[in-house]
């Protein structure tokens, strides 16, 4: 029972990654930078992470992939593997088809503002590695 709860928590965490991605990329980088220069505190905080460019995108993709894969692994203990893969793919497909079509929510924006200092701290240390990985991935 607890591992089933853990699987659903991991799936919820992967959806949180989709919400973070949506909130970070709701505005173009130039507009976010302009608002940050005009002393908009929320935009300035978001710009801390978005300024890393492809490294932020790579970090969010790795986070979503890791939490989704962990959800599949834990869910496969209770369901057949094909059913757990289908369930996780369905959740992510619905998230990627529904969430980008809507505007960022106030709750998603507040949560993103809350975790942005941690995301910026991680990017500060892993930016060179993530930049190389995203450059390799973009070439393929």
């Amino acid at each position: 029972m607890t591992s089933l709860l853990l699987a659903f928590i991991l799936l919820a965490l992967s959806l949180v990654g989709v919400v973070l991605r949506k909130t970070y990329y709701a505005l173009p980088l130039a507009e976010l930078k302009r608002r940050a220069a005009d002393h908009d505190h929320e935009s300035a905080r978001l710009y801390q992470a978005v300024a890393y460019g492809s490294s932020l995108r790579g970090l969010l993709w790795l986070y979503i992939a890791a939490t989704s894969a962990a959800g599949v692994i834990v869910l496969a203990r209770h369901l057949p593997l094909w059913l757990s893969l289908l369930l996780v793919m369905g959740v992510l497909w619905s998230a990627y088809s529904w969430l980008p079509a809507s505007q960022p929510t106030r709750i998603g924006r507040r949560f993103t503002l809350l975790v942005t200092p941690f995301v910026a701290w991680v990017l500060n240390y892993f930016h060179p590695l993530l930049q190389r990985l995203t450059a390799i991935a973009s070439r393929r």
Side-chain angles (χ1 to χ4, degrees):
M1 181 68 176
T2 57
S3 62
L4 193 59
L5 180 65
L6 178 64
F8 288 116
I9 289 172
L10 288 168
L11 290 178
L13 286 175
S14 65
L15 291 177
V16 165
V18 174
V19 169
L20 289 175
R21 187 177 181 279
K22 175 184 168 182
T23 306
Y24 280 132
Y25 296 110
L27 290 174
L29 180 63
E31 176 64 18
L32 196 61
K33 185 176 181 178
R34 185 192 67 76
R35 288 184 184 189
D38 287 343
H39 304 293
D40 180 9
H41 297 293
E42 288 183 2
S43 296
R45 182 172 268 180
L46 290 175
Y47 186 71
Q48 290 175 350
V50 177
Y52 283 98
S54 63
S55 294
L56 174 63
R57 193 176 314 267
L59 178 68
L60 291 175
W61 277 111
L62 284 173
Y63 173 78
I64 293 167
T67 54
S68 300
V72 167
I73 291 169
V74 174
L75 199 57
R77 291 182 177 175
H78 296 283
L79 300 173
L81 181 61
W82 66 270
L83 187 59
S84 61
L85 281 171
L86 191 64
L87 180 68
V88 171
M89 286 179 5
V91 167
L92 289 178
W93 177 80
S94 64
Y96 273 106
S97 63
W98 169 65
L99 282 176
S102 63
Q103 294 295 321
T105 62
R106 181 180 298 170
I107 294 170
R109 190 167 176 91
R110 286 189 184 189
F111 182 75
T112 304
L113 290 170
L114 182 70
V115 299
T116 295
F118 175 72
V119 170
W121 179 81
V122 169
L123 287 170
N124 185 38
Y125 290 103
F126 292 106
H127 174 65
L129 176 65
L130 288 168
Q131 189 175 18
R132 286 187 193 130
L133 289 174
T134 55
I136 291 169
S138 66
R139 279 185 265 165
R140 307 235 181 259

